[in-house]
């Protein structure tokens, strides 16, 4: 059974579906939710679901200082896997000395297209016919780690970034638990759904 920490910054809808998935014969269990924002909506959801939470504020401190506290917290809790789920922080390269190979992220685009922000607006603006989401290993380069899974959706002619984001998010909630289940038993082959 793998122990899983989840990093969030906001609503935590991916976190919620991941926590719901991790029961019964699922080969992983949530051990801690960490947020860099005290006002992250996901914190209350995690507590309601019985998962301990911890806040590490990022304001008024250096990136190195924040990363050191995050690293110390993760070292203390010692999760087997750490999931970024709407965690809006870039980690300094030094962080990866201890934690590379055990961190996953979900990104709302068909990587390698559109790393970074505003993915849906960029896909619509480019005239793409499809969008989607990707789960990948976290490495120091932003949204560039090995791909573990991808889910696709069509882009409709009347889509706005908001309508597309909703369609993609429904697929995020499907993809992330499926990829985690495979990752937890050592399967790193990309899942395309
Ligand atoms: C998701 O769209 C995810 O792909 C991106 O941030 C968003 C987080 O949403 N990285 P939520 O907090 O899981 O609801």
């Amino acid at each position: 059974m793998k122990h899983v920490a989840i990093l969030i910054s906001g609503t935590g809808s991916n976190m919620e579906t991941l926590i719901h998935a991790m029961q019964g014969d699922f080969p992983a269990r949530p051990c801690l939710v960490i947020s860099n924002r005290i006002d992250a909506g996901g914190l209350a959801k995690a507590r309601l679901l019985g998962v301990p939470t911890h806040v590490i504020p990022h304001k008024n401190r250096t990136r190195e200082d924040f990363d050191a506290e995050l690293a110390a917290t993760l070292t203390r809790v010692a999760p087997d896997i750490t999931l970024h789920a709407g965690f809006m922080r870039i980690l300094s390269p030094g962080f990866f000395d201890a934690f590379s190979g055990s961190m996953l992220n979900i990104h709302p685009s068909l990587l390698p297209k559109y790393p970074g922000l505003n993915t849906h607006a960029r896909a619509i603006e480019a005239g793409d016919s499809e969008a989607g989401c990707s789960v990948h290993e976290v490495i120091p380069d932003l949204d560039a780690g090995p791909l573990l899974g991808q889910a696709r959706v069509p882009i409709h002619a009347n889509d706005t970034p908001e309508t597309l984001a909703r369609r993609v998010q429904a697929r995020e909630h499907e993809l992330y638990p499926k990829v985690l289940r495979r990752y937890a038993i050592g399967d790193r082959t990309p899942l395309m759904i």
Side-chain angles (χ1 to χ4, degrees):
M1 186 65 69
K2 300 287 194 238
H3 293 104
V4 175
I6 307 177
L7 309 184
I8 64 167
S9 299
T11 323
S13 67
N14 277 286
M15 174 212 75
E16 203 175 3
T17 54
L18 286 160
I19 293 173
H20 279 301
M22 283 188 256
Q23 48 182 307
D25 69 355
F26 200 96
R29 292 289 184 269
C31 59
L32 182 66
V33 168
I34 301 175
S35 172
N36 63 306
R37 302 183 64 104
I38 193 138
D39 58 352
L43 287 169
K45 291 179 187 160
R47 284 185 213 115
L48 267 176
L49 292 167
V51 181
T53 61
H54 184 72
V55 177
I56 304 177
H58 66 272
K59 284 202 175 142
N60 304 319
R61 66 200 297 193
T62 62
R63 180 177 303 282
E64 287 65 30
D65 196 37
F66 172 86
D67 288 0
E69 189 178 339
L70 178 59
T73 304
L74 288 175
T75 300
R76 180 166 47 78
V77 177
D80 302 294
I81 301 168
T82 298
L83 302 175
H84 295 223
F87 182 59
M88 303 304 283
R89 298 282 308 171
I90 294 173
L91 299 168
S92 40
F95 187 89
F96 290 85
D97 297 345
F99 299 103
S100 65
S102 62
M103 283 195 296
L104 310 189
N105 179 43
I106 186 143
H107 181 76
S109 80
L110 295 172
L111 290 171
K113 275 190 160 183
Y114 315 126
L117 297 174
N118 304 318
T119 53
H120 304 305
R122 288 154 72 195
I124 291 171
E125 205 160 294
D128 293 356
S129 59
E130 306 192 289
C133 52
S134 307
V135 176
H136 62 92
E137 282 187 37
V138 182
I139 63 167
D141 291 334
L142 185 66
D143 301 326
L147 190 66
L148 295 166
Q150 232 162 29
R152 315 176 92 83
V153 300
I155 298 181
H156 302 321
N158 56 354
D159 262 332
T160 63
E162 291 71 30
T163 59
L164 181 56
R166 276 199 288 278
R167 196 174 314 118
V168 171
Q169 260 218 339
R171 299 285 276 158
E172 292 179 20
H173 298 161
E174 210 182 313
L175 181 69
Y176 213 174
K178 284 198 163 92
V179 171
L180 174 62
R181 179 188 277 276
R182 292 155 63 97
Y183 192 83
I185 58 168
D187 185 355
R188 309 285 195 262
T189 44
L191 172 70
M192 300 303 188
I193 62 172

